[in-house]
Amino acid sequence: MTKTPTITFEGPVCPVPLRHNKSIVMGHGSGGKMTEDLIRQVFQKNFSNSFLDAGNDFASVQMPGPGGHLSISTDAHIVSPIFFPGGDIGKLAICGTVNDMSMSGAIPLYLTASFILEEGLDIDILEQVVISMQESANEAGVLVIAGDTKVVEKGKGDGIFISTTGIGWISDDKVIGGEKAQPGDAVIISGTIGDHGIAVLTARGEFSLESSVRSDVAPLNHMIAEILKVAPDTHVLRDPTRGGLATTLNEIARQSKVGIIIHEESIPITNAVQSTCELLGFDPLYVANEGKLIVIAPDVRKNEILEIIRNTKYGNHAAIIGEVVERNSEKVILKTQIGTSRILDVMAGEMLPRIC
Amino acid sequence: MNKNFNFSTSFRNSSLVKSVIDEIQKTITKKWTLMEICGGQTHAIMQYGLDQILPKELELVHGPGCPVCVTPLGQIDRAHAIAILPNVIFCTFGDMLRVPGSSVDLFTLRARGAQIKIVYSPLDAVKIAQENPDKQVVFFAIGFETTVPANATSVLQAKALGLKNFSVLVSQVSVPPAMNAILNSPLNRVQAFLAAGHVCAVMGYWEYHPIAQKYHVPIVVTGFEPLDLLQGILKAIQQLEKSEFFVENAYTRAVSEAGNQVAQRIINQIFEPCDRNWRGIGIIPMSGLGLRKEYEEFNAENRFQVGHIMTQESEICIAGEILQGLKKPVQCPAFRKICSPTNPLGAPMVSSEGTCSAYYRYAINVEED
């Protein structure tokens, strides 16, 4: 005969709930008290401004001037690891959207941010990311005025995903876009290429490689404002992010129905990025950047623009790298350092390290 | 050597390139056909546009030296059969992910939930096996003699660690039997070889003397930078013009006659020559390097019983002729039409060292400029 266990009803039967102020649990996405606490203790504390502090699900804002257009851009950010040399997912989330908006010549004004958090995420880490976002927002001169948080079960996310949407204002006289490149224009890059992609790749530690490469992630709106002051007739502004310089130039060539010639030896690249790429079999022309700007403008403007860029915080390695031509329509041609030419195509898919 | 010597730029110096080109121009008096064995060399030639500045008398045909390209379809299907098993972590060099099997590629399988990891060194796969004792970890050991020593080391290390959950799916090949096969072909047009510098860094070049003598072909050990390649081409043409044929080393900064003997010992300890099917070419006798009996326990084909999987290759893809240097990618009816890096029919379009992908990436309509 089985003995019935004796149950003792001593002490509180219902355990005191844990406070969960150290790591993210599903409750943080419930919309209830825990969500409210998280918003107050992490987001509002750091992003604080009158729009956000009003506590609404919306923010209503005024435009800075009469007329003009709204520039709206949205971007989702996933990166592993969350922190990497030179930046983190928060800085990336602000700069990515600020830069996308700025490429129209817009003045970026407001951002919203949605967070998808994985159960178990350390709240200290979340706060570090939020602080980093606010630092970048300060630098760019934008406010995060609305946001949302959802929590997914452990294993269904990668720590933290951030989606940001930005609103900016463009005056009516700005006509900048990927379709505006003209034969005869000069092509300028604001600095060394490939730093972000290589910094993140080596930070992942998958290739047992250590390097001194730091991500270039940075807000480019101030640089762009300076350029447009001296060269309001600039035709194209574009940040060569995923797919790198080669893919971005191909997009422009296609949009503008022109050819683009670039000169290999004039493309700025650090030794560290160059050698890491050669070791792994990557082509730095296809490696991502997060703080670089391609400017395409009338040839007569190129020296002024170059000087302006070089005098900005993130532009000291800027260089004139090529020109827009009518021939080779919609193709990008690389003049190699030994005097031959080849086509630069778009990246086929994920960049893969080669075998030997 | 000067301590300011920059290894990533000095071998691309444009005035030196021009002087070697001039020397080649002066030397060449008739038409010659050279084959560069290695896919890395094919890519360097296209990447730097060397074909545009070499004399028209010289034809470069591209050899079978891309390990990804020559891995037979059957072996890729076997890899897929193993990779989809629920308890397996399948480790591979990055290039192999895009190679199509008869129905899918490893990318597709990864999206379907297969655990597929890109490793840069076979030893990373051993580490993954140590860290995941409840999983079977399989490394796709492809490669020429360049990668084989590292593959061998992974088996040695797994044995030393007593790992029961590590195995290798082997598809390794060696260069000299392939050169013999090309020279033996009644369709052969190759008059001289640029031997692959990195293969020779491991194996030396002592194996090549009998080939040069038997077939009367110059064989020049050649590196991968523009100046290395041009130097190799120059030496080959000098021999051809003088009707000479011997093995010459144009890559002395990396290669010696004897090669890396430690690496050769490790290869011989773990692997032995065997007949091997080359994708698009067929079986070349004793051209493979398979596991020795003593290491059979590490053979993934046995462990997962996939040896019976046999597959036919695509009929339209001319990978075989491309890999033997009989045809160029532009002569393929599928090239750029239904076959591209995003939708490859054959392996030469997939690998970063594949001939078709080199043509696709670097050589379209440049003459318009």
Side-chain angles (χ1 to χ4, degrees):
Chain A
M1 215 178 92
T2 330
K3 200 181 161 198
T4 316
T6 327
I7 300 168
T8 55
F9 293 92
E10 281 175 21
V13 178
C14 178
V16 177
L18 295 173
R19 291 205 47 218
H20 290 299
N21 52 5
K22 294 270 177 267
S23 68
I24 293 293
V25 293
M26 295 305 291
H28 283 121
S30 65
K33 170 86 169 78
M34 289 180 76
T35 310
E36 195 190 312
D37 286 350
L38 187 73
I39 290 171
R40 227 185 30 239
Q41 287 159 14
V42 178
F43 298 114
Q44 237 172 43
K45 178 177 134 198
N46 289 291
F47 290 140
S48 174
N49 58 60
S50 59
F51 304 103
L52 197 67
D53 296 349
N56 292 320
D57 279 345
F58 61 88
S60 134
V61 298
Q62 249 181 349
M63 284 293 114
H69 291 79
L70 288 181
S71 167
I72 300 165
S73 182
T74 188
D75 216 342
H77 301 271
I78 53 172
V79 66
S80 167
I82 292 172
F83 299 92
F84 46 83
D88 56 73
I89 191 168
K91 190 173 180 184
L92 208 56
I94 297 293
C95 297
T97 298
V98 163
N99 292 348
D100 281 351
M101 256 189 293
S102 308
M103 296 305 146
S104 60
I107 301 164
L109 300 168
Y110 304 107
L111 258 60
T112 68
S114 291
F115 295 80
I116 295 175
L117 308 175
E118 186 184 7
E119 192 181 11
L121 175 75
D122 206 324
I123 290 183
D124 279 349
I125 288 179
L126 176 64
E127 183 154 22
Q128 276 183 61
V129 169
V130 169
I131 289 171
S132 166
M133 287 176 79
Q134 185 51 35
E135 282 169 6
S136 296
N138 278 341
E139 187 185 342
V142 296
L143 293 175
V144 178
I145 56 168
D148 186 40
T149 308
K150 295 285 186 296
V151 177
V152 292
E153 280 169 47
K154 179 100 188 153
K156 294 198 169 168
D158 194 9
I160 176 167
F161 299 145
I162 307 175
S163 188
T164 47
T165 297
I167 296 176
W169 181 80
I170 325 176
S171 64
D172 285 326
D173 55 348
K174 296 265 184 350
V175 274
I176 292 168
E179 72 289 355
K180 301 280 192 236
Q182 299 287 326
D185 283 356
V187 181
I188 301 167
I189 182 86
S190 68
T192 56
I193 60 161
D195 300 79
H196 175 74
I198 295 300
V200 171
L201 189 83
T202 46
R204 260 177 228 162
E206 284 168 9
F207 299 115
S208 320
L209 267 177
E210 283 173 30
S211 82
S212 55
V213 180
R214 294 170 64 78
S215 166
D216 60 350
V217 54
L220 295 168
N221 55 322
H222 299 311
M223 181 192 287
I224 289 172
E226 293 297 315
I227 294 169
L228 295 181
K229 263 188 229 162
V230 298
D233 51 349
T234 293
H235 290 148
V236 184
L237 299 165
R238 186 67 67 85
D239 51 343
T241 52
R242 279 177 303 175
L245 181 64
T247 305
T248 307
L249 288 175
N250 268 285
E251 288 165 9
I252 297 169
R254 231 171 273 163
Q255 276 182 279
S256 295
K257 301 188 169 43
V258 292
I260 295 176
I261 292 181
I262 62 167
H263 303 273
E264 190 172 27
E265 59 196 7
S266 63
I267 302 168
I269 175 163
T270 64
N271 276 336
V273 169
Q274 178 80 38
S275 14
T276 309
C277 284
E278 303 227 347
L279 275 173
L280 296 174
F282 291 162
D283 187 338
L285 293 168
Y286 294 89
V287 177
N289 309 278
E290 287 293 345
K292 290 294 150 25
L293 174 66
I294 297 171
V295 184
I296 297 185
D299 189 70
V300 291
R301 293 286 195 192
K302 68 181 176 195
N303 293 323
E304 282 174 280
I305 295 175
L306 184 68
E307 206 191 310
I308 288 288
I309 298 179
R310 282 189 177 163
N311 284 327
T312 60
K313 187 174 173 188
Y314 301 110
N316 41 353
H317 296 291
I320 298 164
I321 56 167
E323 56 271 350
V324 179
V325 294
E326 243 165 309
R327 292 160 301 162
N328 289 302
S329 192
E330 303 190 25
K331 291 204 174 75
V332 181
I333 305 289
L334 180 79
K335 294 275 188 197
T336 70
Q337 42 197 313
I338 63 169
T340 55
S341 308
R342 66 172 160 102
I343 298 261
L344 275 188
D345 209 345
V346 295
M347 191 159 79
E350 193 178 327
M351 200 154 30
L352 300 170
R354 69 167 171 226
I355 160 171
C356 61
Chain B
M1 212 169 260
N2 183 333
K3 71 173 179 189
N4 293 323
F5 190 86
N6 185 332
F7 275 92
S8 66
T9 56
S10 300
F11 296 100
R12 297 165 194 176
N13 178 301
S14 61
S15 62
L16 289 174
V17 162
K18 192 172 177 318
S19 70
V20 187
I21 290 278
D22 288 347
E23 196 63 29
I24 293 171
Q25 294 276 14
K26 269 187 254 166
T27 311
I28 198 163
T29 65
K30 50 186 120 163
K31 288 193 168 187
W32 297 112
T33 303
L34 263 65
M35 175 180 272
E36 80 278 357
I37 293 284
C38 169
Q41 291 173 331
T42 306
H43 263 256
I45 288 165
M46 307 308 285
Q47 185 183 352
Y48 294 100
L50 296 182
D51 53 326
Q52 299 162 34
I53 47 174
L54 283 164
K56 295 278 171 267
E57 293 89 334
L58 176 70
E59 188 189 355
L60 288 172
V61 295
H62 316 305
C66 163
V68 176
C69 303
V70 301
T71 300
L73 194 55
Q75 200 68 347
I76 290 168
D77 283 348
R78 286 176 210 123
H80 292 177
I82 295 170
I84 51 167
L85 296 173
N87 203 35
V88 164
I89 300 177
F90 193 82
C91 301
T92 170
F93 294 123
D95 291 33
M96 294 305 286
L97 263 76
R98 249 196 316 256
V99 182
S102 42
S103 59
V104 289
D105 57 16
L106 288 170
F107 269 129
T108 314
L109 295 181
R110 191 165 73 175
R112 288 182 192 164
Q115 288 198 68
I116 295 165
K117 289 208 162 153
I118 297 179
V119 292
Y120 196 63
S121 159
L123 298 183
D124 294 341
V126 177
K127 209 169 135 206
I128 292 170
Q130 272 180 288
E131 290 162 357
N132 296 277
D134 54 334
K135 299 269 184 189
Q136 282 291 329
V137 174
V138 182
F139 175 65
F140 201 175
I142 67 157
F144 278 89
E145 294 94 327
T146 31
T147 11
V148 175
N151 296 352
T153 308
S154 75
V155 175
L156 267 180
Q157 210 179 71
K159 177 134 189 156
L161 291 165
L163 291 181
K164 298 287 170 218
N165 65 331
F166 178 81
S167 59
V168 284
L169 181 65
V170 181
S171 187
Q172 302 172 147
V173 278
S174 52
V175 171
M179 288 167 77
N180 269 313
I182 288 165
L183 293 167
N184 257 326
S185 161
L187 299 168
N188 172 49
R189 303 190 295 128
V190 177
Q191 293 166 301
F193 281 106
L194 304 182
H198 54 4
V199 168
C200 297
V202 174
M203 299 305 291
Y205 51 88
W206 50 273
E207 292 174 285
Y208 296 124
H209 297 300
I211 302 174
Q213 292 312 309
K214 183 176 173 194
Y215 298 98
H216 293 194
V217 287
I219 300 176
V220 184
V221 178
T222 303
F224 299 85
E225 295 291 330
L227 271 175
D228 291 323
L229 285 156
L230 293 173
Q231 196 64 28
I233 290 169
L234 175 63
K235 283 182 184 294
I237 290 174
Q238 283 169 340
Q239 286 194 41
L240 287 166
E241 291 283 346
K242 286 193 246 169
S243 303
E244 291 177 332
F245 43 86
F246 54 93
V247 182
E248 200 171 354
N249 185 1
Y251 197 34
T252 49
R253 72 175 185 279
V255 175
S256 66
E257 165 98 33
N260 180 340
Q261 294 181 6
V262 177
Q264 290 172 36
R265 263 200 304 279
I266 295 174
I267 295 177
N268 291 329
Q269 185 183 345
I270 311 293
F271 301 111
E272 62 188 357
C274 60
D275 294 350
R276 166 65 58 196
N277 188 8
W278 295 51
R279 188 169 195 171
I281 297 179
I283 291 176
I284 302 179
M286 302 311 264
S287 65
L289 288 164
L291 278 168
R292 284 184 182 277
K293 277 229 159 49
E294 305 91 284
Y295 295 92
E296 202 54 29
E297 57 180 301
F298 293 99
N299 190 342
E301 276 184 56
N302 299 345
R303 191 173 295 185
F304 300 96
Q305 299 178 347
V306 291
H308 64 281
I309 297 174
M310 297 288 169
T311 323
Q312 289 299 313
E313 290 175 31
S314 157
E315 279 175 25
I316 185 165
C317 173
I318 60 163
E321 288 154 289
I322 302 275
L323 292 168
Q324 293 173 74
L326 299 174
K327 281 195 178 160
K328 298 239 163 120
V330 287
Q331 293 169 280
C332 173
F335 181 71
R336 269 192 182 286
K337 296 193 177 78
I338 52 172
C339 182
S340 69
T342 39
N343 182 31
L345 285 189
M349 185 56 98
V350 176
S351 160
S352 62
E353 289 168 51
T355 303
C356 300
S357 105
Y359 269 69
Y360 191 97
R361 279 182 62 185
Y362 302 133
I364 17 169
N365 302 334
V366 179
E367 63 273 16
E368 272 178 30
D369 174 38

